[in-house]
Each structure stands twice: as C-alpha cells, then as structure tokens.
Amino acid sequence: MKLLDIITYGHPTLRMKAADYHRDEINHNFIDDLLNTMYEKDGIGLAAPQVDVSRQVLAATDLQNEYILINPKIIAHSESSTVDIEGCLSIPGFQANVSRYDKIVVKAQDPEGKNFEITTRGLLARVLQHEIDHLNGILYIDRAEPGSVVRLTDDPNNEGTIHKPVLLKELQSHFKERYHSERQTDFQRRTPLEIV
Ligand code: ZN
C-alpha cells in the first residue's frame, strides 16, 4: 500500500467537479491507498480529489467502521443542522465552524459497483457532507460561519494550541505561498489521471 500525496488549498484539482467513477475504472489498489492515506494522516475522511485524482470516490470512517462511497449523492436530509468545528487535510493548520445537516441519506456504489443507500447522522453525516463537497469542488471554508476561521499554532510556552482568528484572505495568502514554492513542480509533472 502506498501513502498518497495530499494536495493543499490553492491546487486547481480541489476546485474541479470530479468525474463519475465508472465501474470498469474502479481500481482496488487505489481505494486501499486512499484508505491507508486517510488513516496515516489521522483523517476521518479523504476524497480522491485531495490526492489529485478527480474522480467521484471517497473514504470515510466513524471511528468504528470504514466506508468507501463511489458516485455518492445526498438524496434526502433533515431540516435541522448543527454547527461544529471542521478541519481538512488539504487546509492543514486551520479550523472553522460549519453548519451541516444532522441526518442525511446518501445513494452510492460500493467498490464492487453495487448500488446501496446509507442513512447516517452525527459525525459520519458531517464527514460525508464534507467529503461529498470535495467531489464537487467545494471546501469547508466556503461554508464556514462568518468570522469563525482560526489558525492553529503551537503555544511557544508549551501550553497547547493557540487558536488565532484569521480572515479568509490571510488563509488564502498562507497557502498561495506554499503552493507556489512546494507544489507547482509536482503539479506540472503529474496529470490528475496518472494514479488511477
Ligand atoms: Zn477536506
């Protein structure tokens, strides 16, 4: 199993709508790598576009079971929503408050190409909404409650993490620099489909 490279905010693939993942394209090694990368990076969800593969497939866990959803669609949701903290492996070092439906019903295919439906609430419902957004080029900061974005830094006195409120503009300039210094050559070298 491989550890896949996670692209960060500013990379164009994160803003593309991912293409349907056709049954005859499904690559089990890639799905194993996606799950493995999610666990290795201590994530609870990872969508293929985050590893520069613009296809409709995501991995998620509710810390008990793991889930692979291919071509997922939210077909129903509760009227009620809850605001909670979210972060993203593609926007490391930041968090924000995001409102998500409490309960959703998702239609998808499994790695064998079989259709299934999942009704879920709480943490997994939140994770799936976050990851399905990735498949549509949407990031959690697009849905963040106004003024709730914070930058996380280590307290120099070793007393935990400092949550410093930041403007979206500051977050953008933070990643713009990183992207241009670390990611540009990587992006130029690889095509989004090379890994599939
Ligand atoms: Zn994310």
Side-chain angles (χ1 to χ4, degrees):
M1 267 192 288
K2 278 191 300 191
L3 189 61
L4 303 172
D5 242 0
I6 295 179
I7 58 175
T8 51
Y9 182 62
H11 193 297
T13 301
L14 290 175
R15 286 310 198 178
M16 288 165 59
K17 182 172 167 52
D20 282 351
Y21 201 32
H22 294 292
R23 194 177 176 159
D24 53 10
E25 274 188 304
I26 294 173
N27 179 327
H28 291 266
N29 291 333
F30 172 67
I31 288 172
D32 287 347
D33 292 342
L34 193 66
L35 271 170
N36 180 48
T37 304
M38 176 183 80
Y39 289 125
E40 286 291 321
K41 298 290 179 183
D42 292 327
I44 50 176
L46 187 62
Q50 293 182 271
V51 294
D52 202 9
V53 174
S54 196
R55 286 290 182 277
Q56 296 266 336
V57 52
L58 66 85
T61 177
D62 55 8
L63 309 176
Q64 288 181 329
N65 300 301
E66 60 189 31
Y67 302 86
I68 294 292
L69 275 70
I70 292 170
N71 305 321
K73 300 261 179 305
I74 296 173
I75 55 171
H77 62 77
S78 58
E79 281 184 26
S80 62
S81 307
T82 300
V83 174
D84 208 343
I85 295 169
E86 287 189 23
C88 180
L89 292 173
S90 293
I91 312 178
F94 292 84
Q95 286 181 344
N97 291 334
V98 183
S99 175
R100 300 286 187 188
Y101 298 122
D102 292 320
K103 183 177 171 186
I104 54 170
V105 182
V106 181
K107 191 176 83 176
Q109 281 108 52
D110 69 12
E112 313 310 321
K114 262 179 44 193
N115 291 311
F116 70 100
E117 261 181 42
I118 177 172
T119 301
T120 180
R121 63 187 80 224
L123 177 67
L124 186 61
R126 175 170 295 274
V127 173
L128 292 181
Q129 288 170 81
H130 177 118
E131 301 308 330
I132 291 170
D133 270 353
H134 272 302
L135 303 180
N136 292 300
I138 298 166
L139 301 171
Y140 81 89
I141 50 173
D142 304 338
R143 300 190 187 278
E145 299 284 303
S148 74
V149 181
V150 293
R151 183 171 181 180
L152 309 175
T153 45
D154 287 334
D155 183 342
N157 302 319
N158 259 337
E159 287 173 15
T161 307
I162 297 172
H163 295 61
K164 180 180 170 281
V166 290
L167 298 171
L168 211 49
K169 221 167 53 184
E170 297 171 63
L171 183 150
Q172 283 165 341
S173 70
H174 174 83
F175 283 100
K176 197 171 175 187
E177 282 167 30
R178 288 173 57 130
Y179 169 57
H180 285 292
S181 58
E182 294 171 19
R183 291 286 172 193
Q184 199 172 28
T185 45
D186 199 36
F187 178 64
Q188 284 165 344
R189 203 172 56 239
R190 296 172 58 214
T191 63
L193 295 181
E194 193 181 311
I195 212 164
V196 175

